[in-house]
Amino acid sequence: MGNMNFIQKSNLFSFTATRCLRNEYYHNDCRICIELCPKGAFHIVRNKLTLFENECVGCAGCIGSCPTEALEIESFDPNGYAASFMHQKDSTLSCKVSTPCLGVFDVEHYAVMALRGERSVTCDLSHCESCVLNENGNLKSLICSKIDTTNSFLETLEVAYRIERIDAKEEQTERRALFRKGFEKVKETLVNESVAHISMTAAHHKLPDQKMPLKRVLLKNSLKEIVGNVQTTSFEEKSPLFFNKQIDFQACTNCGDCTQFCPTDALFPTSDKQGIYFSQSKCIGCGICEVICKPKAISAKEGFDLISVAFERAEELVHYEMVTCHECRCPFPYKGGEPICDRCESYTKEFSNMFTMAKDL
């Protein structure tokens, strides 16, 4: 079960360990799906995320929350649904009519549906309160949080469309029977009618060296269409959707660990390997780069630029002149002063007593 190359499946639901942040980097502590799953189907085994298939009910409530799209349900692709939403006659999303649990969608999906459909989207949450999947309240709370984040983003863009909610409570009846009946109906409908967008994410994952989540690609392409009509494209405030980074020139050693472990290639080296670029459009805010950086040279930075996101522009955060160390004769990133690398300098200071001449004793 702990095999990194193993795709675990539970009926229609699947978990791909190789795309999981928790499995990408040993010290990452992403627990979103663990805390969200109403049935406790996810467990940590030998510090790796593992799906216990016999405990999973395939509700799809966790899918939209996975930042790297490691979770999928075979009968419904939220990316394909969002991309084709403009062709849907009904703008209402409901787990009893057209979709699985609305937890299948992320902020990017809601934004894409509003922007591409050029209309407001209505989420029917009237039965969430009494749903068996929402026993601890986490699922509805997260769906509402995503809707609020999307509306804040749409307001920033100054577009008229919003993600609206239907919150009226329904009669409390046999909740488990209601859920089973509703899910089976949706599953049957989706299998019969949504073939066009079932395999969109699967096809994206098969592309060579494609690490960027498809939901980010869809949002980026949607922004291309409207960014020319947005009055302000550069913002100084922190965004829950787009992330920014900075690198301290003096602290950075240009070791390359941050570029090697970035799961989406948001950080990548310059062609001469003497600098580091950063792409806001690809960053998912996982924080791996900040944790792995030994000298703590990388840190989060406020502000985001819509044009950089839409057109995938990268910014060079740091660049060094490589010179040869006078002690070990190895190249190192020069930052001024004596041409001696940090390793030789620290070694000389720590073990200076070993180089004391006999005449000086």
Side-chain angles (χ1 to χ4, degrees):
M1 294 177 71
N3 192 330
M4 284 287 290
N5 297 315
F6 187 61
I7 299 178
Q8 296 179 264
K9 293 188 176 182
S10 174
N11 195 8
L12 299 172
F13 183 83
S14 64
F15 161 60
T16 306
T18 50
R19 287 199 297 272
C20 176
L21 282 178
R22 185 72 184 240
N23 298 339
E24 175 78 15
Y25 179 54
Y26 184 84
H27 298 290
N28 184 266
D29 193 33
C30 182
R31 301 180 61 86
I32 298 174
C33 57
I34 297 175
E35 296 172 353
L36 188 61
C37 181
K39 300 303 177 183
F42 291 102
H43 301 264
I44 300 297
V45 178
R46 299 186 187 91
N47 207 51
K48 302 295 184 183
L49 185 68
T50 304
L51 172 68
F52 282 22
E53 293 99 327
N54 60 325
E55 298 177 3
C56 176
V57 295
C59 66
C62 59
I63 291 178
S65 299
C66 182
T68 53
E69 297 179 343
L71 309 174
E72 296 178 65
I73 189 166
E74 294 179 9
S75 62
F76 186 84
D77 181 2
N79 289 315
Y81 188 89
S84 61
F85 183 75
M86 66 183 78
H87 305 299
Q88 300 285 338
K89 294 180 180 179
D90 191 356
S91 62
T92 299
L93 307 180
S94 172
C95 66
K96 289 189 174 181
V97 180
S98 56
T99 73
C101 171
L102 295 190
V104 75
F105 298 114
D106 206 347
V107 175
E108 288 93 341
H109 299 127
Y110 289 125
V112 167
M113 284 187 270
L115 293 174
R116 292 195 175 192
E118 296 185 340
R119 55 179 172 171
S120 293
V121 181
T122 301
C123 294
D124 183 4
L125 307 181
S126 60
H127 35 273
C128 288
E129 202 67 42
S130 61
C131 179
V132 66
L133 301 176
N134 192 52
E135 289 181 352
N136 55 14
N138 288 346
L139 197 52
K140 183 181 179 182
S141 176
L142 188 61
I143 294 172
C144 291
S145 175
K146 290 177 181 178
I147 291 174
D148 292 342
T149 299
T150 308
N151 284 333
S152 177
F153 175 61
L154 294 174
E155 185 177 347
T156 297
L157 296 182
E158 297 183 349
V159 298
Y161 324 117
R162 294 291 183 270
I163 310 300
E164 300 171 349
R165 288 160 38 181
I166 300 175
D167 284 312
K169 293 183 179 179
E170 64 173 1
E171 291 288 329
Q172 296 244 349
T173 57
E174 293 280 342
R175 295 191 297 162
R176 293 184 181 274
L178 203 66
F179 164 70
R180 285 196 300 269
K181 182 178 178 181
F183 183 68
E184 289 300 323
K185 180 180 178 181
V186 170
K187 186 169 67 174
E188 181 182 351
T189 301
L190 295 174
V191 168
N192 292 333
E193 298 181 5
S194 62
V195 178
H197 58 68
I198 286 176
S199 60
M200 187 172 180
T201 299
H204 176 75
H205 288 157
K206 291 178 182 178
L207 296 176
D209 301 322
Q210 183 54 263
K211 298 181 180 181
M212 188 173 174
L214 182 55
K215 57 187 174 184
R216 305 286 292 188
V217 176
L218 292 175
L219 180 58
K220 176 194 69 173
N221 292 336
S222 299
L223 289 174
K224 281 183 182 179
E225 301 296 324
I226 59 98
V227 74
N229 300 322
V230 177
Q231 303 231 346
T232 304
T233 59
S234 184
F235 303 88
E236 296 182 358
E237 63 268 23
K238 185 178 180 180
S239 169
L241 188 57
F242 302 120
F243 308 93
N244 209 347
K245 301 290 179 182
Q246 59 187 357
I247 296 180
D248 185 336
F249 177 83
Q250 292 298 328
C252 177
T253 62
N254 199 30
C255 67
D257 284 353
C258 59
T259 60
Q260 181 181 352
F261 283 90
C262 179
T264 59
D265 289 337
L267 287 166
F268 58 96
T270 56
S271 57
D272 58 8
K273 307 297 183 183
Q274 295 178 201
I276 298 173
Y277 277 111
F278 172 69
S279 174
Q280 269 195 330
S281 65
K282 294 182 178 181
C283 183
I284 57 176
C286 66
I288 289 178
C289 58
E290 296 176 42
V291 175
I292 202 172
C293 182
K294 294 180 181 66
K296 302 302 177 185
I298 302 180
S299 59
K301 178 184 175 183
E302 294 187 351
F304 64 98
D305 185 79
L306 287 177
I307 293 179
S308 295
V309 172
F311 295 95
E312 210 171 305
R313 292 182 181 175
E315 174 189 5
E316 189 176 54
L317 297 186
V318 69
H319 198 275
Y320 298 99
E321 174 191 0
M322 301 297 285
V323 301
T324 301
C325 174
H326 283 193
E327 294 290 336
C328 64
R329 302 300 178 184
C330 294
F332 75 100
Y334 181 65
K335 303 173 186 176
E338 290 292 322
I340 301 176
C341 68
D342 292 341
R343 182 175 55 184
C344 288
E345 185 178 11
S346 62
Y347 184 82
T348 303
K349 289 179 181 178
E350 291 177 21
F351 303 101
S352 57
N353 60 316
M354 294 176 58
F355 304 100
T356 302
M357 301 296 287
K359 67 182 178 64
D360 296 326
L361 293 175

